[in-house]
PDB file of all heavy atoms in Angstrom:
ATOM      1  N   THR A  30     -54.231 -29.130 -65.076  1.00 87.00           N
ATOM      2  CA  THR A  30     -55.094 -28.897 -63.918  1.00 87.00           C
ATOM      3  C   THR A  30     -55.646 -27.478 -63.928  1.00 87.00           C
ATOM      4  O   THR A  30     -54.985 -26.532 -64.383  1.00 87.00           O
ATOM      5  CB  THR A  30     -54.322 -29.134 -62.615  1.00 87.00           C
ATOM      6  OG1 THR A  30     -53.178 -28.273 -62.578  1.00 87.00           O
ATOM      7  CG2 THR A  30     -53.859 -30.586 -62.518  1.00 87.00           C
ATOM      8  N   PRO A  56     -64.522 -27.499 -38.910  1.00 92.00           N
ATOM      9  CA  PRO A  56     -63.062 -27.640 -39.039  1.00 92.00           C
ATOM     10  C   PRO A  56     -62.703 -29.090 -39.382  1.00 92.00           C
ATOM     11  O   PRO A  56     -63.397 -30.031 -38.966  1.00 92.00           O
ATOM     12  CB  PRO A  56     -62.532 -27.253 -37.650  1.00 92.00           C
ATOM     13  CG  PRO A  56     -63.647 -26.489 -37.004  1.00 92.00           C
ATOM     14  CD  PRO A  56     -64.909 -27.041 -37.561  1.00 92.00           C
ATOM     15  N   PHE A  95     -45.453 -67.644 -55.319  1.00 96.00           N
ATOM     16  CA  PHE A  95     -44.861 -67.213 -56.588  1.00 96.00           C
ATOM     17  C   PHE A  95     -45.638 -67.882 -57.717  1.00 96.00           C
ATOM     18  O   PHE A  95     -45.938 -69.077 -57.648  1.00 96.00           O
ATOM     19  CB  PHE A  95     -43.378 -67.583 -56.653  1.00 96.00           C
ATOM     20  CG  PHE A  95     -42.550 -66.880 -55.614  1.00 96.00           C
ATOM     21  CD1 PHE A  95     -42.316 -67.476 -54.368  1.00 96.00           C
ATOM     22  CD2 PHE A  95     -42.012 -65.632 -55.858  1.00 96.00           C
ATOM     23  CE1 PHE A  95     -41.566 -66.833 -53.403  1.00 96.00           C
ATOM     24  CE2 PHE A  95     -41.257 -64.976 -54.895  1.00 96.00           C
ATOM     25  CZ  PHE A  95     -41.032 -65.581 -53.666  1.00 96.00           C
ATOM     26  N   LEU A 105     -57.199 -56.891 -63.014  1.00 96.00           N
ATOM     27  CA  LEU A 105     -57.067 -56.820 -61.564  1.00 96.00           C
ATOM     28  C   LEU A 105     -56.055 -55.771 -61.117  1.00 96.00           C
ATOM     29  O   LEU A 105     -56.087 -55.322 -59.976  1.00 96.00           O
ATOM     30  CB  LEU A 105     -56.655 -58.178 -61.002  1.00 96.00           C
ATOM     31  CG  LEU A 105     -57.674 -59.318 -61.115  1.00 96.00           C
ATOM     32  CD1 LEU A 105     -57.043 -60.636 -60.693  1.00 96.00           C
ATOM     33  CD2 LEU A 105     -58.912 -59.025 -60.267  1.00 96.00           C
ATOM     34  N   ASP A 127     -32.785 -60.767 -58.083  1.00 96.00           N
ATOM     35  CA  ASP A 127     -32.131 -61.605 -59.090  1.00 96.00           C
ATOM     36  C   ASP A 127     -32.761 -62.997 -59.147  1.00 96.00           C
ATOM     37  O   ASP A 127     -32.933 -63.570 -60.227  1.00 96.00           O
ATOM     38  CB  ASP A 127     -30.632 -61.713 -58.794  1.00 96.00           C
ATOM     39  CG  ASP A 127     -29.908 -60.384 -58.980  1.00 96.00           C
ATOM     40  OD1 ASP A 127     -30.540 -59.438 -59.507  1.00 96.00           O
ATOM     41  OD2 ASP A 127     -28.731 -60.287 -58.593  1.00 96.00           O
ATOM     42  N   ARG A 145     -56.082 -49.721 -46.414  1.00 84.00           N
ATOM     43  CA  ARG A 145     -56.733 -50.677 -47.308  1.00 84.00           C
ATOM     44  C   ARG A 145     -55.774 -51.842 -47.527  1.00 84.00           C
ATOM     45  O   ARG A 145     -54.635 -51.635 -47.961  1.00 84.00           O
ATOM     46  CB  ARG A 145     -57.087 -50.032 -48.647  1.00 84.00           C
ATOM     47  CG  ARG A 145     -57.622 -51.029 -49.663  1.00 84.00           C
ATOM     48  CD  ARG A 145     -57.931 -50.342 -50.994  1.00 84.00           C
ATOM     49  NE  ARG A 145     -58.184 -51.314 -52.055  1.00 84.00           N
ATOM     50  CZ  ARG A 145     -59.357 -51.866 -52.307  1.00 84.00           C
ATOM     51  NH1 ARG A 145     -60.399 -51.553 -51.554  1.00 84.00           N
ATOM     52  NH2 ARG A 145     -59.501 -52.723 -53.278  1.00 84.00           N
ATOM     53  N   GLU A 146     -56.247 -53.032 -47.231  1.00 88.00           N
ATOM     54  CA  GLU A 146     -55.440 -54.218 -47.447  1.00 88.00           C
ATOM     55  C   GLU A 146     -55.692 -54.752 -48.850  1.00 88.00           C
ATOM     56  O   GLU A 146     -56.841 -54.878 -49.282  1.00 88.00           O
ATOM     57  CB  GLU A 146     -55.779 -55.278 -46.407  1.00 88.00           C
ATOM     58  CG  GLU A 146     -54.817 -56.459 -46.417  1.00 88.00           C
ATOM     59  CD  GLU A 146     -55.051 -57.393 -45.250  1.00 88.00           C
ATOM     60  OE1 GLU A 146     -56.165 -57.922 -45.136  1.00 88.00           O
ATOM     61  OE2 GLU A 146     -54.125 -57.576 -44.446  1.00 88.00           O
ATOM     62  N   TYR A 211     -54.828 -34.217 -77.284  1.00 87.00           N
ATOM     63  CA  TYR A 211     -55.789 -33.335 -76.614  1.00 87.00           C
ATOM     64  C   TYR A 211     -55.085 -32.459 -75.584  1.00 87.00           C
ATOM     65  O   TYR A 211     -55.329 -31.250 -75.501  1.00 87.00           O
ATOM     66  CB  TYR A 211     -56.886 -34.159 -75.947  1.00 87.00           C
ATOM     67  CG  TYR A 211     -57.880 -33.315 -75.181  1.00 87.00           C
ATOM     68  CD1 TYR A 211     -58.896 -32.638 -75.829  1.00 87.00           C
ATOM     69  CD2 TYR A 211     -57.784 -33.184 -73.794  1.00 87.00           C
ATOM     70  CE1 TYR A 211     -59.801 -31.851 -75.136  1.00 87.00           C
ATOM     71  CE2 TYR A 211     -58.667 -32.403 -73.088  1.00 87.00           C
ATOM     72  CZ  TYR A 211     -59.685 -31.739 -73.758  1.00 87.00           C
ATOM     73  OH  TYR A 211     -60.557 -30.968 -73.061  1.00 87.00           O
ATOM     74  N   ARG A 256     -49.873 -49.105 -96.939  1.00 77.00           N
ATOM     75  CA  ARG A 256     -49.308 -47.843 -97.413  1.00 77.00           C
ATOM     76  C   ARG A 256     -48.690 -47.036 -96.272  1.00 77.00           C
ATOM     77  O   ARG A 256     -47.738 -46.276 -96.490  1.00 77.00           O
ATOM     78  CB  ARG A 256     -50.395 -47.001 -98.093  1.00 77.00           C
ATOM     79  CG  ARG A 256     -50.840 -47.543 -99.441  1.00 77.00           C
ATOM     80  CD  ARG A 256     -51.652 -46.493-100.195  1.00 77.00           C
ATOM     81  NE  ARG A 256     -52.881 -46.144 -99.497  1.00 77.00           N
ATOM     82  CZ  ARG A 256     -54.040 -46.769 -99.673  1.00 77.00           C
ATOM     83  NH1 ARG A 256     -54.110 -47.800-100.525  1.00 77.00           N
ATOM     84  NH2 ARG A 256     -55.117 -46.393 -99.005  1.00 77.00           N
ATOM     85  N   GLY A 261     -39.330 -50.636 -95.630  1.00 48.00           N
ATOM     86  CA  GLY A 261     -38.968 -51.875 -94.949  1.00 48.00           C
ATOM     87  C   GLY A 261     -40.177 -52.577 -94.398  1.00 48.00           C
ATOM     88  O   GLY A 261     -40.171 -53.770 -94.186  1.00 48.00           O
ATOM     89  N   GLY A 278     -57.036 -65.493 -99.383  1.00 42.00           N
ATOM     90  CA  GLY A 278     -58.401 -65.014 -99.223  1.00 42.00           C
ATOM     91  C   GLY A 278     -58.963 -64.445-100.504  1.00 42.00           C
ATOM     92  O   GLY A 278     -60.154 -64.499-100.759  1.00 42.00           O
ATOM     93  N   GLU A 285     -67.809 -61.706-103.394  1.00 40.00           N
ATOM     94  CA  GLU A 285     -68.329 -61.420-102.065  1.00 40.00           C
ATOM     95  C   GLU A 285     -68.452 -59.912-101.816  1.00 40.00           C
ATOM     96  O   GLU A 285     -68.654 -59.479-100.691  1.00 40.00           O
ATOM     97  CB  GLU A 285     -67.388 -62.032-100.997  1.00 40.00           C
ATOM     98  CG  GLU A 285     -67.330 -63.547-101.017  1.00 40.00           C
ATOM     99  CD  GLU A 285     -68.649 -64.149-100.606  1.00 40.00           C
ATOM    100  OE1 GLU A 285     -69.416 -63.460 -99.904  1.00 40.00           O
ATOM    101  OE2 GLU A 285     -68.916 -65.283-101.003  1.00 40.00           O
ATOM    102  N   GLN A 292     -69.005 -50.792 -89.805  1.00 40.00           N
ATOM    103  CA  GLN A 292     -67.658 -50.473 -89.348  1.00 40.00           C
ATOM    104  C   GLN A 292     -67.626 -49.018 -88.955  1.00 40.00           C
ATOM    105  O   GLN A 292     -68.373 -48.230 -89.530  1.00 40.00           O
ATOM    106  CB  GLN A 292     -66.629 -50.739 -90.460  1.00 40.00           C
ATOM    107  CG  GLN A 292     -65.185 -50.520 -89.983  1.00 40.00           C
ATOM    108  CD  GLN A 292     -64.214 -50.579 -91.132  1.00 40.00           C
ATOM    109  OE1 GLN A 292     -64.449 -49.935 -92.143  1.00 40.00           O
ATOM    110  NE2 GLN A 292     -63.158 -51.318 -90.974  1.00 40.00           N
TER     111      GLN A 292
END
Side-chain angles (χ1 to χ4, degrees):
T30 58
F95 296 92
L105 293 172
D127 293 351
R145 173 181 168 86
E146 190 172 59
Y211 177 79
R256 289 194 297 270
E285 295 293 336
Q292 184 189 48

